[in-house]
């Protein structure tokens, strides 16, 4: 399950109320499977998840009431379609989301040890039988649990903990029964009590005995719209990591949702993936919509990019691009959605009805060149131009080429240009269109494409020119001019050990004596620090300013770079960064490409 830490929408409020009813479990029936040798999350995982169809109001998906889609029969039907259509492209996980332990009125079921027990109407053969069937198809089985001890599992506090003599549910939570997780649907576990880890051990052993390969732990904080000690579940995640290891079964641990980036080190230490944002689903009569909330990812992903890599990945949520009308998106939006997920190296798991993929959706989900961007050894892309409506994202690949994506996030058509100088070279480059499997030829200095509203292109760019040389100027250089609140501050991460900050409410930094040999438009590389996305007005030589929104760098101790175009004259120039009536990012330095 999921929800938003940025804005709570009515549909998510509905979901939060629904989730207050969550709970369930089942008996241990089988020994743990042998551990595999392949490392977990060496690449972003690929597969299918049940939640998008569970949460949608699309006609026919939930005929027995809200969230009723989740049944054994439906899971196995989707698994059959995945095995037939997508498995050969790398899709292998079938993830059962929230509700497997609840009846269709959302009444929870628990076993004698306070663990979630599968609802007999939804899963009449139990969860092990489903995992066995998935494995028989050559697939992997995923399951879901919320953080904490669900209220319904507490009972009167006397419910025994499996394999923990003398321990009961009263012995694993705080005496004041403080709540936790994104919906306050559970009591917070008190890890100062010796019985508490044994409860997590019992849950981990249960799902390992059932044969599950993946666990989504949901409502985790800090994140999930909550903060503060009551909602700090890092100890829970650490306990899950240890408990899973003790089972001897490799189980991928995925955390959800909108995780606090300030605890990224913990998420990376204890899990294999973390949701960086709110739910992608719209809780409406389609699976998703562009505005609610596919488009959020372009703003929220950049800060997390540096945290992704083998062993742990930034999770952008379900990729619902395969069903056309049911997805609720235009073709251009579907391609942009899939493009961002691929270049960000997000797990590729769809929530579509795999039994009725349309031809365009199937082509998006099975494009081997695009899948290779997501699954290959190259790093995730990041914005090389600011988070404005027309954006360029890029990553330098291990072979010296670049993955380059062009996005037009505006509501009307526009041209988008990738300038080779933002990639660090000048001259010619060969361009290949990955979506269309087409070599486009050689382009000098840049490529410009006319894109529809919310449209995109995805290229491999192979340089044939020469590396650029740059002239660097520190923001704090004595020759520069500071106005208003702007001031120099220490910055251990910055190139000169200092930065210019306090650019707010009229604060300005003017960088003087920028000398170029030839007039023209130059892509200035701006190194900056910003704990959230902030905008700044950039102008040259006292002329008209252009406002650019710089993506968050994740915190106030991390430096990132973007490129902004400025028109310079031959000789000496000035460039001004003006906060205007708002708050601008702190500036570390600028680098000017030589003519």
């Amino acid at each position: 399950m999921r929800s938003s830490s940025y804005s709570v929408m009515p549909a998510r409020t509905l979901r939060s109320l629904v989730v207050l009813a969550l709970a369930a479990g089942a008996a241990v029936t089988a020994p743990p499977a042998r551990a595999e040798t392949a490392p977990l999350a060496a690449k972003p995982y690929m597969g299918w998840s049940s939640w998008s169809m569970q949460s949608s109001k699309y006609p026919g998906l939930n005929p027995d009431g809200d969230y009723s889609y989740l049944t054994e029969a439906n899971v196995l039907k989707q698994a059959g379609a995945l095995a037939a259509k997508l498995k050969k492209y790398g899709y292998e996980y079938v993830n059962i989301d929230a509700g497997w332990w609840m009846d269709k009125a959302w009444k929870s079921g628990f076993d004698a040890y306070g663990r979630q027990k599968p609802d007999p109407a939804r899963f009449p053969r139990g969860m092990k039988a489903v995992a066995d069937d998935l494995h028989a198809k050559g697939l992997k089985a995923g399951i879901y649990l919320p953080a904490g001890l669900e209220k319904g599992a507490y009972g009167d506090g006397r419910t025994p903990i499996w394999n923990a003599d003398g321990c009961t549910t009263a012995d694993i939570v705080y005496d004041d029964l403080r709540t936790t997780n994104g919906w306050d649907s559970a009591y917070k576990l008190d890890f100062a009590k010796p019985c508490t880890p044994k409860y997590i051990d019992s849950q981990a052993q249960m799902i390992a005995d059932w044969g599950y390969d993946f666990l989504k732990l949901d409502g985790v904080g800090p994140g999930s719209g909550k903060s503060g000690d009551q909602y700090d579940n890092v100890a829970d995640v650490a306990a899950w990591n240890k408990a899973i290891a003790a089972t001897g079964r490799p189980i991928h641990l995925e955390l959800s949702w909108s995780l606090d980036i300030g605890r990224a080190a913990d998420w990376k230490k204890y899990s294999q993936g973390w949701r960086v944002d709110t739910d992608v689903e719209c809780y409406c009569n389609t699976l998703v919509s562009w505005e609610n909330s596919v488009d959020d990812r372009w703003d929220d992903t950049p800060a997390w990019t540096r945290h992704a890599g083998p062993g742990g990945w930034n999770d952008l949520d379900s990729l619902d691009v395969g069903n056309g009308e049911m997805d609720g998106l235009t073709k251009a939006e579907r391609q942009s959605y899939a493009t961002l997920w691929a270049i960000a190296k997000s797990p590729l798991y769809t929530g579509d009805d795999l039994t009725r993929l349309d031809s365009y959706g199937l082509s998006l989900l099975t494009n081997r060149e695009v899948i290779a961007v997501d699954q290959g050894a190259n790093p995730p892309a990041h914005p090389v131009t600011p988070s404005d409506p027309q954006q360029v994202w890029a990553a330098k690949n291990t072979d010296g080429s670049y993955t380059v994506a062009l996005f037009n996030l505006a509501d009307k058509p526009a041209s988008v240009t990738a300038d080779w100088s933002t990639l660090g070279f000048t001259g010619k480059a060969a361009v290949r269109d990955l979506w269309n499997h087409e070599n486009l030829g050689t382009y000098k200095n840049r490529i410009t494409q006319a894109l529809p509203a919310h449209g995109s292109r995805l290229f491999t760019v192979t340089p044939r020119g020469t590396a650029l040389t740059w002239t660097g100027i520190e923001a704090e250089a004595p020759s520069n001019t500071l106005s208003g609140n702007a001031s120099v501050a220490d910055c251990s991460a910055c190139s000169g050990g200092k930065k210019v900050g306090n650019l707010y409410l009229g604060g300005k930094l003017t960088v003087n004596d920028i000398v170029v040999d030839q007039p023209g438009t130059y892509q200035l590389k701006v190194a900056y620090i910003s704990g959230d996305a902030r905008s700044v007005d950039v102008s040259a030589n006292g002329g008209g300013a252009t406002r650019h929104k710089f993506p968050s760098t994740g915190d106030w101790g991390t430096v990132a770079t973007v490129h902004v175009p400025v028109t310079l004259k031959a000789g000496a120039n000035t460039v001004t960064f003006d906060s205007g009536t708002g708050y601008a990012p702190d500036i570390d330095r600028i680098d000017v490409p030589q003519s």
Side-chain angles (χ1 to χ4, degrees), residues 230-525:
Q230 184 174 341
Y231 302 103
D232 188 332
N233 300 125
V234 172
D236 301 60
V237 176
W240 269 106
N241 175 278
K242 185 175 181 180
I244 288 170
T247 69
R249 182 176 186 82
I251 299 174
H252 177 120
L253 179 59
E254 194 82 1
L255 308 178
S256 185
W257 79 88
S258 294
L259 274 296
D260 182 353
I261 196 170
R263 304 304 291 270
D266 292 313
W267 314 139
K268 293 165 71 173
K269 181 177 181 180
Y270 298 122
S271 74
Q272 286 74 55
W274 40 86
R275 277 268 305 281
V276 305
D277 220 323
T278 182
D279 291 6
V280 76
E281 291 86 6
C282 63
Y283 298 88
C284 63
N285 60 356
T286 57
L287 299 184
V288 297
S289 68
W290 182 256
E291 295 81 9
N292 186 13
S293 60
V294 172
D295 63 348
D296 291 345
R297 272 68 180 167
W298 277 266
D299 282 339
D300 300 334
T301 299
W304 285 91
T305 299
R306 63 191 172 93
H307 295 299
W313 304 96
N314 300 322
D315 183 349
L316 303 192
D317 208 3
S318 297
L319 178 61
D320 298 338
V321 298
N323 287 148
E325 178 184 321
M326 190 166 80
D327 292 324
L329 302 169
T330 67
K331 282 188 173 183
E333 289 168 346
R334 292 160 73 187
Q335 179 175 295
S336 294
Y337 186 174
T339 299
L340 180 63
W341 264 236
I343 65 171
K345 301 184 79 72
S346 171
L348 300 181
Y349 58 98
T350 180
D352 286 312
D353 185 345
L354 302 182
T355 69
R356 48 177 172 174
L357 297 174
D358 65 17
S359 59
Y360 183 69
L362 186 63
S363 74
L364 293 177
L365 293 172
T366 60
N367 185 307
R368 291 191 186 276
E369 291 188 71
V370 177
I371 291 172
V373 170
D374 180 83
Q375 297 285 291
N378 297 316
H382 62 280
V384 295
T385 60
S387 291
D388 299 320
Q390 287 76 47
Q391 298 181 17
V392 178
W393 291 51
K396 187 173 184 178
N397 301 325
T398 56
D399 65 358
S401 68
Y402 292 83
T403 297
V404 179
L406 279 57
F407 296 107
N408 173 30
L409 303 181
D411 294 333
K412 59 184 179 181
S415 293
V416 182
T417 296
D419 193 300
W420 300 161
S421 66
T422 65
L423 306 179
F425 70 93
T426 187
K428 295 180 179 180
V431 178
R432 179 168 177 79
D433 184 328
L434 301 187
W435 281 116
N436 294 313
H437 308 296
E438 181 182 5
N439 290 322
L440 302 184
T442 300
Y443 286 75
K444 185 177 180 180
N445 293 333
R446 64 188 58 84
I447 185 170
T448 299
Q449 298 284 287
L451 300 181
H454 308 159
S456 61
R457 299 294 294 274
L458 179 60
F459 303 129
T460 296
V461 174
T462 304
R464 300 283 188 256
T466 57
L468 274 172
T469 55
W470 303 80
T471 300
I473 304 174
E474 298 292 344
E476 70 275 9
S479 58
N480 295 336
T481 304
L482 306 184
S483 306
N485 300 300
S487 60
V488 175
D490 291 335
C491 173
S492 60
C494 295
S495 62
K498 294 184 182 297
K499 64 181 180 179
V500 171
N502 289 326
L503 292 170
Y504 67 94
L505 303 180
K508 298 179 185 180
L509 161 67
T510 298
V511 181
N512 298 313
D513 299 323
I514 298 175
V515 178
V516 295
D517 294 333
Q518 301 175 23
T521 298
Y522 289 75
Q523 293 282 346
L524 298 190
K525 184 193 301 182

